[in-house]
Amino acid sequence: MVTKDQIVQWLQAFATLLEQNKDYLTELDSEIGDADHGINMDRGFKKVMSQLSSVADKDIGSILKTVSMTLISNVGGASGPLYGTLFLRAGTAVADKQELTDEDMAKLLQAGLDGVKERGKAQLGDKTMVDVLSPAVTNFHQALNEGKNAITALQQAVTAAEQGMKDTIPMLARKGRASYLGERSVGHQDPGATSSYLMLKSLLATLES
Amino acid sequence: MKKLINKPEDFVRESLVGMAVAHPDLIKVHFDPNFVYRSDAPMQGKVAIISGGGSGHEPMHTSFVGMGMLDAACPGEVFTSPTPDQMLEAAKTVDGGAGVLYIVKNYSGDVMNFEMATELARTVGIRVFNILIDDDVAVKDSLYTQGRRGVGTTVLAEKICGAAAERGYDLQQVMDLCRRVNLNGRSMGLALTSCTVPAKGTPTFTLGDNEMEMGIGIHGEPGRERMAQKSADEMTEMLALSIIEDSTYSRTVREWDEDGGEWVDVELIDQPFQRSDRVLAFVNSMGGTPISELYIVYRKLAEICQKQGIQIVRNLVGPYITSLEMQGCSITLLKLDDEMIRLWDAPVKTPSLRWGI
């Protein structure tokens, strides 16, 4: 079971990781994008943190939807609608829940991934967030099907996510501003994939602690 | 970083405050969410035109708000798309009952945020459509990229569609006109130096002393090629011929289908320039290049067009769609018909574009 408190702690842990990696993400983005990913994500999650206390007594679905609306209104760029849609769909998938079963977690992750793919029209291999989220969700499902618990499944998901993040390095970008670089996008790790990895890593760290 | 700023995080807000103080007769500024709108909005019965995008390209879009052009503009953070709440509030504020057109530059962030805003505005009963501008020929194909970027034609579309709305065109007519302007406009730019985003504090990219980036995007995105700097005439020729000789371009865009209440994919194709075309020639500074240099470019562009049998019947020379303090320029050629010429000549009164009044 994942409790509501753990979801709140996860969001706090992700916000902290984003703050610590703000310059790193922006640096990655200056290689193949427009040098603002770390700045925007940090600004968005600082705002999320300021809103969190007002919804902490609500259900998990409502908390995640509040995260979504806050990101949509404060992040801008491509990451605002993408992360906003991710949290909106994730929240809808677990509407009214006070705690989450392993199956709920699987639904939450799957819905988030589907939302990102739909909003951004990106597929696996396009050098985007999808290259981290998709293998993570696949591995999570697979581990649950093999009878493993959510933490073990998430460990496998995060391992796959890290590999997915590194796999974006040799990829040719096909979406977003990086796509204009063509061959020059090869050799750089995708910033959106990196922040998605940090999101999953902070979720695992929260559940393990 | 040397800039006339106080704190990087106050850049957008303080600039908007300044605009409001400078032009109270033309515009008002709404904060949280941020948008600039016509002081006489909403205009009852007139189609409202809204655009927006990252800040740092001024005068586009905020200084094009006013009679005969935009009803509202939504500025994002520097080089970052604005957010749907800004676009929604702007639509609510300026809708005069005849509907709203969002003019959107083709960048993934802008497209996604404006699409979300369209969905939100529709849920509160505002009739909204969005039309994409994608005119940058530096991007050659749309199959493996986000497609052509929206650049110089955006300024021209805002002027021409603004005039049409002012004359009483309905929403469908303004939309069709906007699409037509986009399909007839083509642009390309180059950079001699990088710009510096205030929040980052260091240049976005590095060019050697004698290097230039051909096909640069307005956020410093790389273009076709990095090469040794050439003479003004040679650089102008490279830009102009890239535009004039560019072949037929096809792309699939997502437009709102009112009857079905959902997004549909629409294929749009534009045709290359031909001899005897009448065009508007727009030579634009990226922000750091002086107007004197733009005229050196214009002089060569006029000569090239004449040789190619293309007749320049209108022009615009100056910094209108910039990239902060970047040195460089872009050229846009827009094929005109009589209707578009009349609308271009129609009166306009905004902080940065004014004539005929």
Side-chain angles (χ1 to χ4, degrees), chain B residues 279-346:
Chain B
V279 300
L280 185 158
F282 171 24
V283 176
N284 171 64
S285 166
M286 292 294 188
T289 286
I291 292 173
S292 49
E293 292 177 25
L294 299 183
Y295 279 112
I296 294 174
V297 171
Y298 186 83
R299 163 194 138 275
K300 181 67 183 174
L301 176 63
E303 183 192 309
I304 294 167
C305 284
Q306 193 179 15
K307 268 191 199 152
Q308 299 273 335
I310 291 171
Q311 192 189 351
I312 299 177
V313 293
R314 294 291 183 276
N315 65 52
L316 184 68
V317 180
Y320 291 102
I321 165 171
T322 62
S323 189
L324 294 168
E325 72 277 59
M326 184 192 284
Q327 280 182 279
C329 72
S330 66
I331 292 176
T332 299
L333 294 180
L334 171 65
K335 187 160 78 180
L336 293 170
D337 53 35
D338 290 341
E339 182 186 18
M340 277 154 64
I341 291 174
R342 275 197 304 275
L343 293 168
W344 178 258
D345 291 341

Side-chain angles (χ1 to χ4, degrees), chain B residues 154-275:
Chain B
T154 316
V155 176
L156 311 180
E158 289 174 2
K159 164 68 187 84
I160 290 170
C161 295
E166 206 73 49
R167 291 192 168 192
Y169 281 43
D170 69 21
L171 184 55
Q172 187 66 46
Q173 290 171 321
V174 177
M175 226 172 97
D176 292 343
L177 175 68
C178 191
R179 205 187 283 110
R180 193 165 101 226
V181 171
N182 183 45
L183 293 180
N184 284 289
R186 292 179 171 193
S187 305
M188 188 150 128
L190 64 83
L192 303 174
T193 61
S194 176
C195 50
T196 296
V197 175
K200 184 161 183 270
T202 53
T204 303
F205 59 95
T206 321
L207 283 174
D209 278 349
N210 294 311
E211 280 184 324
M212 64 169 176
E213 181 83 30
M214 181 55 72
I216 193 78
I218 54 171
H219 313 90
E221 317 91 305
R224 285 187 181 174
E225 204 182 334
R226 188 164 291 193
M227 55 175 74
Q229 198 194 329
K230 301 180 187 315
S231 70
D233 283 1
E234 287 170 302
M235 289 191 278
T236 305
E237 188 161 16
M238 290 180 81
L239 291 178
L241 293 182
S242 295
I243 295 167
I244 293 169
E245 293 173 356
D246 196 56
S247 55
T248 301
Y249 178 74
S250 163
R251 77 290 244 169
T252 303
V253 301
R254 201 143 68 168
E255 290 188 4
W256 185 262
D257 172 41
E258 201 160 43
D259 299 327
E262 59 179 358
W263 295 103
V264 291
D265 285 338
V266 180
E267 196 192 4
L268 298 175
I269 299 169
D270 59 36
Q271 304 296 334
F273 288 98
Q274 294 177 338
R275 292 189 78 83

Side-chain angles (χ1 to χ4, degrees), chain A residues 73, chain B residues 33-35 74-76 81-91:
Chain A
S73 308
Chain B
N34 296 351
F35 60 92
C74 307
S81 164
T83 54
D85 54 321
Q86 292 171 263
M87 301 156 187
L88 176 64
E89 284 308 311

Side-chain angles (χ1 to χ4, degrees), chain B residues 46-65:
Chain B
K46 186 184 90 69
V47 171
I49 301 180
I50 299 178
S51 191
S55 291
H57 307 302
E58 289 72 19
M60 186 189 79
H61 303 273
T62 46
S63 289
F64 296 145
V65 174

